[in-house]
């Protein structure tokens, strides 16, 4: 019975280490290349353009190259 308990403890420890590694990866900030690719999918040239549109004063001009559509 002691051997079973020892094996379970080893498995529990291994599972905990695996979960810690997964959590660390999930919480890690994506690298610049990944952010640039995600920005392209959203219609921006790169991550900087996306950030400027979100937080800057460009008003989305970086998406459409400065051409705004008029609302009817």
């Amino acid at each position: 019975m002691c051997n079973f308990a020892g094996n379970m403890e080893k498995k529990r420890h291994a599972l905990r280490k695996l979960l810690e590694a997964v959590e660390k990866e999930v919480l890690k900030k994506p690298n610049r290349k990944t952010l640039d690719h995600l920005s392209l999918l959203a219609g921006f040239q790169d991550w900087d353009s996306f950030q400027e549109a979100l937080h800057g004063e460009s008003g989305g001009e970086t998406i459409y190259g400065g051409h705004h559509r008029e609302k009817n």
Side-chain angles (χ1 to χ4, degrees):
M1 191 68 150
C2 186
N3 191 23
F4 177 76
N7 284 338
M8 290 303 293
E9 182 62 26
K10 287 180 183 177
K11 288 181 180 182
R12 189 179 72 77
H13 179 72
L15 181 57
R16 179 179 295 197
K17 293 305 253 178
L18 176 62
L19 290 174
E20 287 173 2
V22 168
E23 183 179 48
K24 184 178 177 182
E25 276 301 308
V26 168
L27 296 176
K28 186 170 72 171
K29 183 179 178 182
N31 67 32
R32 181 56 186 250
K33 188 175 181 179
T34 301
L35 294 173
D36 283 342
H37 282 116
L38 290 171
S39 299
L40 282 171
L41 289 173
F44 294 86
Q45 281 296 112
D46 55 24
W47 180 248
D48 290 332
S49 299
F50 176 69
Q51 289 295 301
E52 179 63 28
L54 275 180
H55 306 293
E57 299 178 15
S58 67
E61 293 170 10
T62 54
I63 299 174
Y64 303 108
H67 302 291
H68 293 268
R69 294 183 191 177
E70 295 288 327
K71 289 187 177 183
N72 293 334

